[in-house]
Structure formats: C-alpha cells, structure tokens
Amino acid sequence: MTLTELKYIVAVARAKHFGHAAEACFVAQPTLSVAIKKLEDELGVVLFERGGAEISVTPLGAQIVAQAERVLEQTAAIKELAKQNKDPLAGPLRLGVIYTIGPYLLPPLVKRMIETTPQMPLVLQENFTVKLLEMLRQGELDAAIMALPLPEHGMAVQPLYDEPFVVAMPKNHPWAARSSIPAEHLKTETMLLLGNGHCFRDQVLEVCPEMARFSSPGNGMQRTFEGSSLETIRHMVASGIGLTVLPRASVPDMEGRDGMLSFRYFDKPEPNRRVVIVWRKSFTRKAAIDAIVAAVADCQLPGVRMLNGHEE
C-alpha cells in the first residue's frame, strides 16, 4: 500500500469517475485504474462499484476512503512538522477563497502580502466552500477564506471581518430615492441571484426570508433569475432586468457616481455575513496565518467591520 494509491482512491471517491480522478491526479487513467485494482487485491475488498457512467463507493470503501483522507492529512502534517525549525513565513502558502470574496479581497491582499512577506508567495485557489474544505482536509490547501456558517469541518477558525449586504438597482429605479430598503420589499421585485452551490446565495436567502419564497409558485417575488457570478448579475441589473443583493466590499462607491447602478443599505438590522479564515489544526505555520490575518486587516475593504477575533 502506498500513499499514491491512497491519493488515487480519495480522488475517485471525490470525482466518482476514473477519468476525472486521473486528470485531477495528473496521471493517465490506466495508471490510476491499475493502482486502485492492485490496492483492492492487496486488501481483498472492492472499494468501488463499477458500472454505468458514474462510479459509486461501496460501504466498506467509504470507510477506507475516510481513513485514507486522515492518513493523507497526517502525512501533510509530518511535512509541516519538518519545517518547524525553519522560517514559517518562508515558502509558498496555498490559500483558498470563495468566489464571492476573491475578486474584492485578493487584489489588495496580494499587494499587501508582497509588501510585508515577499518570501511567502500566495498560491491561490477560488472555489465553493464545500470544495475548499475538502481540499483543506486533503492537505491541498493550507488555509481558506470563506463566510459563516460552515458545514461541520473540525478546523481552526478565526474571524476576519463582518460585511453588510446592500441592494443594487438600476440608476432610474424608484427606490434610488430612498435612504435604505426594507428586506421584505424585495418580494415585489424581479430579483437576480447566484445559482445553487454559492454560499452567498444561501446567506442572502437566509437573511432575507421574503426572498426564500421564490421557490413557491405564485408566492413571493414576481420572478427570479440566476447568474454564475456577481459581476454577471451586476451587469444584468445595470441593463434594467431587475435588482440584486451584493456584499458591501464589492461596491467601492455606494453613491454610484461612475456607473448605471444605485446602491442602498437595508433597513437596520442590516443583514451581513462574517468572513473567516480556516485552517487545519495540525498546520504548524501559525505565523503564516497571522500574517494573512494582519494583511486582511490592512486591506481597508469598503464598508466592512474588521474583527480582532480569536480561534474557535
């Protein structure tokens, strides 16, 4: 049994497809398939049910894959322990960020990190929350920046900032004359939301209950359109298709002086999200995490409230 074989079975369990797993591991599919068959023969068990377009994990296979994930995480921890006597700020840091934070935080963050810790370049990965947590467990990432709430994860968590939500509308919309917008009024409007898989969509639906009713025909908002990114939705709003809700850091100018949009805060209490940094408890480069936290605090994101948080 080898660590490479364990990596292969975890990849197949994740992708549920031998070809896609081979691509993720940067090997040819026959190489991966032969290695997994060798491991199954050695263990005397069937890990995957083969047949049809999608591969499924057997019940025993699921237990073995879970153990393999723990082994791979501990292997990464051994490598990190070997670096303890070295400078924890020396060498790359693999940082994940969710899609609705990355475009607004990463430009000032990367610039600040180059200024303060040029010896620690960031290797960046944008993805969904669930995927980033999985990559953390596998040791493929060192840390990730995402928003609460999170699914069960067993990671170390440190708050970074609280970010309010704002309503975006076309420049000529009647609500542009208001100073703030009641959340319940959104049900009367055509709303544009991110598609399924984006945690920001779930957060918006959670803090704006009236918007959650769109799934019931004839109740709630008049119509709902879904987009793949906040920037796509922003352009659709500018064209007059409807309204949307955006995180405050994505709006550098609430007055909208240079564009076709108007932005308004919600009535108090304003809906918001808490942005955190997450890492494995076994990760030994805590000074690197501290450097990220300090750099985020220096980014001066518009409209957010920075936190001097503690680990959870």
Side-chain angles (χ1 to χ4, degrees), residues 246-272:
L246 297 173
R248 177 63 180 86
S250 71
V251 183
D253 178 17
M254 280 293 289
E255 300 301 321
R257 287 180 286 261
D258 299 325
M260 301 172 63
L261 296 175
S262 290
F263 306 98
R264 294 294 179 269
Y265 285 105
F266 282 92
D267 284 357
K268 294 187 181 301
E270 296 169 343
N272 65 82

Side-chain angles (χ1 to χ4, degrees), residues 7-8 11 20-27 32:
K7 180 180 178 182
Y8 288 169
H20 296 162
E23 291 176 6
C25 295
F26 303 102
V27 297
L32 179 138

Side-chain angles (χ1 to χ4, degrees), residues 119-252:
Q119 73 276 30
M120 189 178 76
L122 297 180
V123 179
L124 301 172
Q125 167 75 236
E126 280 189 292
N127 219 309
F128 296 111
T129 296
V130 173
K131 178 65 174 176
L132 292 178
L133 286 173
E134 188 176 309
M135 296 178 73
L136 277 171
R137 293 190 192 99
Q138 300 300 324
E140 298 173 19
L141 289 176
D142 300 318
I145 295 175
M146 51 191 71
L148 298 181
L150 299 176
E152 187 65 31
H153 53 80
M155 302 279 176
V157 179
Q158 184 165 334
L160 295 174
Y161 57 86
D162 286 338
E163 179 177 27
F165 300 159
V166 299
V167 181
M169 65 197 76
K171 200 79 168 180
N172 60 354
H173 195 281
W175 288 2
R178 300 184 183 183
S179 58
S180 62
I181 309 298
E184 62 268 18
H185 287 191
L186 296 178
K187 68 177 181 179
T188 65
E189 296 292 317
T190 297
M191 297 300 300
L192 285 72
L193 300 176
L194 287 172
N196 286 319
H198 289 274
C199 63
F200 183 70
R201 167 199 173 91
D202 299 330
Q203 291 156 4
V204 170
L205 293 178
E206 182 178 349
V207 299
C208 306
E210 294 292 347
M211 293 179 64
R213 298 182 184 179
F214 80 94
S215 58
S216 302
N219 191 9
M221 296 180 294
Q222 294 175 352
R223 289 177 296 167
T224 301
F225 294 90
E226 296 183 357
S228 59
S229 74
L230 290 179
E231 294 310 304
T232 298
I233 289 176
R234 191 192 300 259
H235 287 296
M236 293 174 70
V237 172
S239 69
I241 294 176
L243 279 62
T244 195
V245 175
L246 297 173
R248 177 63 180 86
S250 71
V251 183

Side-chain angles (χ1 to χ4, degrees), residues 32-86:
L32 179 138
S33 299
V34 168
I36 291 179
K37 185 63 169 64
K38 173 179 171 291
L39 180 59
E40 288 180 321
D41 291 343
E42 178 182 342
L43 297 176
V45 300
V46 176
L47 300 174
F48 303 103
E49 295 178 0
R50 299 157 173 85
E54 188 172 282
I55 302 299
S56 59
V57 187
T58 64
L60 179 57
Q63 296 179 49
I64 292 175
V65 167
Q67 183 64 38
E69 290 175 341
R70 290 190 286 270
V71 170
L72 292 173
E73 179 179 336
Q74 290 304 312
T75 301
I78 291 172
K79 294 178 180 178
E80 290 165 5
L81 283 170
K83 300 175 184 176
Q84 273 189 320
N85 292 329
K86 301 178 182 179

